[in-house]
Amino acid sequence: METEMDTAELGEKIVKVLKGIYDPEIPVDIYELGLVYDVMVNTDQEVKILMTLTSPNCPVAESLPKEVEEKIAKIEGIKSAEVEITFDPPWSKDLMSEEAKLELGML
């Protein structure tokens, strides 16, 4: 049971870090933008993040996933971090949180 709590705690820390990473073209963090599809933490504290980009031609297609991996890997207790990029389903504005839409004046 203790491992589950540790995993949940790590999940919260990961989300906090993700909310500190911003898309350079849009002044909203990648989590609220809906770019993060899934965060998986196994019992060995290995993290896999499934995310997308606003478009396949995104100018930060190479640097953003590396930035996410590096920042997540620095969290105390994380053994490794891997980011997988997918375009299925493709990103759309519908994936944005209400907070992000409000920030961008879309509500």
Side-chain angles (χ1 to χ4, degrees):
M1 193 68 173
E2 195 174 309
T3 302
E4 287 179 32
M5 200 152 124
D6 289 343
T7 304
E9 226 174 276
L10 280 175
E12 289 175 19
K13 289 180 181 179
I14 290 166
V15 169
K16 187 175 180 182
V17 168
L18 292 172
K19 287 185 173 193
I21 301 172
Y22 287 78
D23 183 295
E25 297 178 317
I26 306 168
V28 175
D29 69 78
I30 63 171
Y31 191 83
E32 298 297 336
L33 267 179
L35 297 181
V36 178
Y37 289 166
D38 200 0
V39 176
M40 297 156 273
V41 183
N42 68 19
T43 54
D44 292 327
Q45 282 76 35
E46 297 166 331
V47 178
K48 182 170 184 182
I49 296 174
L50 183 63
M51 65 177 286
T52 193
L53 302 168
T54 52
S55 81
N57 300 325
C58 182
V60 292
E62 288 189 33
S63 62
L64 188 60
K66 286 179 186 167
E67 178 184 357
V68 171
E69 277 181 2
E70 289 170 1
K71 288 187 175 178
I72 297 303
K74 288 180 182 176
I75 296 172
E76 187 178 332
I78 299 288
K79 287 186 183 170
S80 66
E82 176 189 348
V83 172
E84 181 181 332
I85 298 293
T86 184
F87 291 101
D88 184 26
W91 181 83
S92 73
K93 292 176 183 169
D94 295 337
L95 296 172
M96 293 169 59
S97 69
E98 296 295 314
E99 184 180 313
K101 290 176 182 175
L102 185 64
E103 179 75 26
L104 296 173
M106 300 172 83
L107 284 180

